[in-house]
Amino acid sequence: HHLLSMTSGIYEDFSRSKTYDIEKVVFPESHPISTNALVHYFGELTSDSKPGKKFDYSNINYILLAAIIEKTTGLEYGEYLKQTFWQPLGMVSTEFGSLNTNQELLSKPYLGLPTQHENPEFWHDSWVLGAGGIFSSASDLHRWMLGINKHAILDSLYSKKLFTKHTSLYGYGWQIGKRQGNTYFSHEGGTLGYVCEAGFFPELDLYIVVLTNHTHGITEIGKTVNLNKEINREIQNIVFGKPYKKLPVPSDNVKISINGN
């Protein structure tokens, strides 16, 4: 419960301090790491608060959950997800690990918005087990959210727990709020070269996915997340017949500015 609701007290993301000092961030490596070694690697971190005391988003929670899945099922994390969820749902374009994907169909990541095209350093996806490393498509993410909403993944009892507010805005791995006056379940995230937001309006059977393969650098990737969220909001305005604005398109010698950023 504490891991899923982000109330475990574990330090945020991959930083060894709360200051996000770039020198203290734990970066994945290009070589693979075993799940056991990964858990022990982050096991060196100390907790920020006692479990259950407060919400504090930490991707390390997902790493521990993935390790629990492997320990209890005897399967590798990606294989368990494929057999249990992706294949039954017909998610044919979803894999764990970039090296397992169809390279001809994989969108290549780029850094340096607005106009540069640099390739980010390769990170082996085993370093973000449970917290990232899954490659998918907009249509497959639609199938995933549709399956959740129609109780094809979890029955109604567990689906209710999934979307219960365990903190002010968070359920189990989903942000819970309102958009356009309707209930909206969503989550955003990203890494170097990739950012996405996926969300749906359960009562309206409406699903929106926004993917990008071009981001700012490591110190400014939050700007790309904000830009992606802005794109999503404008799509929602269009769908609901509300006034919308055209978003800036990168061109030579032009800087993107979203909400003053």
Side-chain angles (χ1 to χ4, degrees):
H1 167 77
H2 291 141
L3 294 172
L4 285 169
S5 61
M6 297 291 160
T7 59
S8 68
I10 297 172
Y11 273 129
E12 290 188 42
D13 296 321
F14 294 96
S15 177
R16 291 192 182 276
S17 74
K18 302 294 288 184
T19 63
Y20 287 103
D21 182 349
I22 200 68
E23 298 299 325
K24 295 182 180 179
V25 172
V26 178
F27 287 106
E29 304 286 347
S30 59
H31 60 81
I33 186 172
S34 70
T35 303
N36 186 60
L38 183 66
V39 169
H40 282 280
Y41 186 86
F42 288 113
E44 298 173 4
L45 297 174
T46 57
S47 296
D48 187 47
S49 64
K50 291 184 178 180
K53 289 296 184 180
K54 67 177 182 177
F55 172 88
D56 202 351
Y57 190 90
S58 170
N59 279 309
I60 312 306
N61 289 304
Y62 290 130
I63 289 176
L64 294 177
L65 286 164
I68 291 171
I69 288 174
E70 292 194 342
K71 185 72 172 179
T72 56
T73 66
L75 295 173
E76 291 185 352
Y77 174 69
E79 187 61 29
Y80 174 78
L81 294 179
K82 179 185 290 188
Q83 293 183 19
T84 309
F85 302 116
W86 301 340
Q87 288 179 341
L89 288 171
M91 297 171 62
V92 297
S93 300
T94 304
E95 291 281 355
F96 176 76
S98 60
L99 299 179
N100 296 324
T101 63
N102 184 336
Q103 297 300 305
E104 294 183 357
L105 299 179
L106 180 65
S107 294
K108 306 303 181 186
Y110 298 103
L111 291 180
L113 279 173
T115 58
Q116 299 175 5
H117 291 81
E118 300 176 7
N119 295 317
E121 181 182 355
F122 174 75
W123 290 347
H124 198 277
D125 298 300
S126 58
W127 283 81
V128 291
L129 185 79
I134 294 176
F135 291 78
S136 189
S137 65
S139 59
D140 268 14
L141 288 173
H142 168 255
R143 289 187 180 93
W144 177 251
M145 292 189 292
L146 181 66
I148 290 175
N149 199 27
K150 302 302 182 182
H151 308 310
I153 297 174
L154 298 173
D155 63 25
S156 58
L157 175 63
Y158 283 99
S159 294
K160 183 178 180 180
K161 291 184 178 181
L162 193 69
F163 295 112
T164 296
K165 280 188 178 181
H166 302 292
T167 64
S168 61
L169 56 80
Y170 214 72
Y172 284 157
W174 287 89
Q175 296 169 356
I176 302 169
K178 291 278 188 179
R179 292 274 186 92
Q180 305 287 342
N182 298 281
T183 300
Y184 184 64
F185 303 142
S186 66
H187 216 295
E188 74 280 345
T191 185
L192 293 182
Y194 296 114
V195 163
C196 89
E197 180 175 348
F200 66 100
F201 297 87
E203 292 93 352
L204 302 178
D205 205 23
L206 175 61
Y207 311 83
I208 298 176
V209 179
V210 181
L211 308 173
T212 182
N213 63 324
H214 197 171
T215 70
H216 292 80
I218 185 63
T219 60
E220 297 184 311
I221 197 169
K223 293 183 178 180
T224 313
V225 174
N226 289 335
L227 174 59
N228 219 48
K229 291 170 69 107
E230 185 75 6
I231 292 171
N232 195 323
R233 283 191 289 266
E234 295 306 325
I235 290 174
Q236 292 177 22
N237 286 334
I238 293 172
V239 170
F240 284 91
K242 301 290 183 64
Y244 66 94
K245 63 182 180 181
K246 293 183 178 180
L247 294 171
V249 178
S251 59
D252 291 340
N253 301 318
V254 174
K255 292 185 177 180
I256 288 179
S257 178
I258 295 292
N259 297 331
N261 293 324

